[in-house]
Amino acid sequence: MKTARERMDIISAYREVGTYRGAAAISGTTPKTVRRVIARHEVGGGAPVRGPRGHNYDTVTGLVAGRVAKTQGRITAKRLLPAAQAAGYVGSARNFRRLVAEQKALWRRENHRGRRPAVWSPGEHLVIDWGSLGGLHVFCAVLAWCRVRFVRFALDERADTTLALLAECFETLGGVPGVVLADRMGCLKGGGVANKVIPTPDYVRFAAHYGFRPDFCEANDPQSKGIVENLVGYAKSDLMVPLAPFDDLAAANTAAAAWCEEVNATMHSEICAVPAERLVIERELLAPLPSLRVSVGRLVIRKVDRLSCVRFASARYSVPTRLIGACVGVRIDDGRLLVIVTGTGEVVAEHTLVAPGEASVLDAHYGGPRPAPRRAVRPKTVAEKEFCALGPVAEAFITGAAAAGHTRLGPELAELNTLRAAHGDEAFLDALARAVAFGRWRAADVRSILAAGAGTPEPGPAGDALVLDLPVVPVRSLADYAIGAARSSQSETATGSQS
């Protein structure tokens, strides 16, 4: 396209030579260009009006526009091409892609809702969402202003699981925010009327108990809660993928709690602050936790038996003995069994789930550890009562003889009583103690000990030092054994003999 200066040069050259060919030679262009410039100049200098140029896809433009609007700009040209060809389009696929792209751009320009950045207030919003990877579900929550993140794992996304994890999140934060924002998850959604979500009655009772307002985002609008959508992806890539597979749910939640402590203590790129430090400020604006914690989940009523246990899934779980005969609630929570007093909501026992037929017993429920089994000696006959009257030594003798398999112990008790009467209680008790120490359980053994009298040695326990009084003998200095001293004495002797 010629500039204004070039057009003026062409007009001047034409006026000088009077021919298109001559003006073209002077201006360095073609005669056709000179003719078009002169014609445009003669009609006033304006560009000639061009008529509308048709396209080979004009016949299917309405069809494409309708399908793009129906699918909200998501349909592809590849999917639309067969329908367009059936409607009479005979052009290329490349040209058809241009049409679809133009119609999508028009639809987005007319239907763009526009967005603005969220402005979060302290203590106001908690945003929650669920994610899943490899059969393991992850619950994510973000306290919006301070960006503190809460992540826990679960085996399902049921309502009782969601509410239990939400209650745990409140406990971790140390307070309750004003609004809990969630997507339209089925576990919390009871219905919908005129685009308004009706929460389930359980969720309403839970929200009333903790004192927050449940809120739901728009349908098919994940951008409205992108703050937690990003956390779900972050938890999958940084926690689930590197550490999977987990041994069990408890190990997974332990890893999740440690991960949350790590990320909450790190500088957040969006707010340029440490979330854990900002939580200290925001916690003052959170509503206090209720004094009575809500019981979330399905409770199963069980009666405490005489063993101070409740049975669940063919296994026994101990409870405090003061509850024997009372009815309590049993609930499963994150691989744990909680025993709850239904009247007050107090958790009186917490156990790890065990296999059917096993028992989980806590010593604190019985006032201390289990005592060792003791089979007391209970005399019945006259001879047994007379012998056991000697006290613990006699009981130890009977217990040891029974353990050694002494089957004649019963008939020999009369003989032992006779030996007692003959030697006296003191000597007889010493003999019995010696018999117990050396494992001699017959009456003849006791008689031989009594016959030996007081001259028998009293061996001490192994390992004691043996202390002996050694006799005093004359000693000489080690210098007397020196070789030099011996030579000097010999030389002195030889000198004396010569003199």
Side-chain angles (χ1 to χ4, degrees):
M1 185 177 182
K2 299 297 183 179
T3 63
R5 183 181 182 86
E6 292 174 340
R7 290 197 299 270
M8 291 299 297
D9 292 340
I10 293 175
I11 294 172
S12 298
Y14 179 75
R15 286 177 179 175
E16 290 180 3
V17 298
T19 61
Y20 295 142
R21 190 176 298 276
I26 296 173
S27 303
T29 184
T30 62
K32 291 183 179 180
T33 303
V34 174
R35 184 170 49 118
R36 284 196 298 268
V37 171
I38 298 301
R40 183 182 301 178
H41 176 69
E42 290 177 352
V43 297
V49 179
R50 291 186 178 183
R53 185 177 181 181
H55 302 87
N56 60 355
Y57 51 71
D58 290 339
T59 56
V60 294
T61 301
L63 171 67
V64 173
R67 295 292 294 274
V68 168
K70 184 178 180 179
T71 60
Q72 298 181 353
R74 293 187 177 90
I75 196 167
T76 63
K78 183 178 180 180
R79 181 65 60 87
L80 261 176
L81 182 59
Q85 290 175 343
Y89 176 71
V90 294
S92 65
R94 181 179 180 181
N95 213 28
F96 186 73
R97 286 196 295 270
R98 291 195 184 96
L99 170 64
V100 175
E102 291 174 0
Q103 294 300 321
K104 284 185 176 182
L106 289 174
W107 184 89
R108 293 191 187 100
R109 188 180 306 118
E110 296 174 359
N111 294 274
H112 182 66
R113 292 184 294 178
R115 291 192 178 275
R116 57 187 299 173
V119 179
W120 305 108
S121 300
E124 187 66 22
H125 282 86
L126 179 74
V127 191
I128 64 173
D129 196 12
W130 278 101
S132 62
L133 182 66
L136 191 63
H137 302 269
V138 56
F139 174 83
C140 298
V142 181
L143 194 57
W145 184 77
C146 66
R147 298 298 202 279
V148 167
R149 287 150 284 192
F150 176 85
V151 175
R152 290 296 185 272
F153 294 108
L155 298 178
D156 54 65
E157 298 182 9
R158 297 187 303 179
D160 54 350
T161 305
T162 304
L163 297 183
L165 293 176
L166 189 56
E168 184 181 352
C169 178
F170 293 155
E171 297 282 347
T172 304
L173 297 176
V176 182
V179 180
V180 174
L181 176 64
D183 61 0
R184 304 191 174 197
M185 53 183 66
C187 59
L188 302 180
K189 176 183 175 183
V193 176
N195 199 37
K196 287 292 184 180
V197 178
I198 303 174
T200 61
D202 291 339
Y203 190 31
V204 173
R205 285 192 292 268
F206 181 87
H209 180 83
Y210 277 95
F212 67 87
R213 179 174 63 87
D215 193 12
F216 298 88
C217 66
E218 292 289 337
N220 302 321
D221 187 22
Q223 292 83 0
S224 60
K225 58 179 182 61
I227 189 173
V228 73
E229 292 283 347
N230 292 335
L231 176 58
V232 173
Y234 185 26
K236 289 180 180 179
S237 62
D238 196 55
L239 175 61
M240 299 180 72
V241 174
L243 300 181
F246 296 102
D247 297 335
D248 54 12
L249 189 60
N253 281 328
T254 301
W259 183 81
C260 289
E261 291 183 1
E262 179 183 352
V263 298
N264 289 331
T266 306
M267 182 75 68
H268 196 283
S269 61
E270 183 71 19
I271 60 176
C272 295
V274 178
E277 296 176 356
R278 295 189 68 168
L279 177 62
V280 177
I281 302 173
E282 187 170 4
R283 187 177 285 129
E284 299 179 358
L285 301 176
L286 298 176
L289 292 167
S291 58
L292 181 62
R293 302 296 185 262
V294 68
S295 178
V296 181
R298 187 172 63 91
L299 283 178
V300 180
I301 304 301
R302 292 289 187 269
K303 184 177 181 180
V304 183
D305 57 18
R306 296 181 63 183
L307 298 177
S308 190
C309 293
V310 294
R311 290 182 63 86
F312 183 82
S314 300
R316 290 185 183 274
Y317 300 90
S318 65
V319 298
T321 54
R322 59 183 173 85
L323 296 175
I324 292 178
C327 292
V328 295
V330 177
R331 180 165 58 86
I332 303 300
D333 180 21
D334 194 13
R336 304 171 300 168
L337 182 135
L338 304 180
V339 181
I340 304 171
V341 178
T342 55
T344 62
E346 177 189 4
V347 178
V348 294
E350 180 178 335
H351 297 270
T352 303
L353 291 177
V354 296
E358 297 184 359
S360 177
V361 178
L362 301 180
D363 294 336
H365 295 162
Y366 297 90
R370 179 190 295 272
R374 179 176 178 269
R375 307 293 183 261
V377 176
R378 298 184 177 88
K380 296 181 179 180
T381 64
V382 177
E384 293 173 356
K385 292 178 180 180
E386 182 180 355
F387 183 77
C388 291
L390 293 171
V393 177
E395 294 181 1
F397 183 85
I398 292 177
T399 302
H406 183 28
T407 58
R408 296 287 300 169
L409 177 61
E412 288 186 353
L413 284 180
E415 183 178 352
L416 291 173
N417 289 332
T418 303
L419 292 174
R420 173 190 175 187
H423 294 271
D425 289 350
E426 184 177 356
F428 185 71
L429 281 176
D430 292 340
L432 278 184
R434 190 174 182 83
V436 171
F438 288 93
R440 302 178 66 183
W441 311 113
R442 299 182 180 275
D445 298 332
V446 178
R447 184 184 297 109
S448 64
I449 294 173
L450 289 170
T456 56
E458 293 291 341
D464 290 350
L466 180 62
V467 180
L468 298 177
D469 295 332
L470 300 176
V472 180
V473 297
V475 295
R476 294 194 303 173
S477 174
L478 294 177
D480 296 338
Y481 298 95
I483 299 176
R487 290 180 178 176
S488 61
S489 61
Q490 292 177 2
S491 62
E492 291 177 358
T493 305
T495 304
S497 61
Q498 291 176 2
S499 63

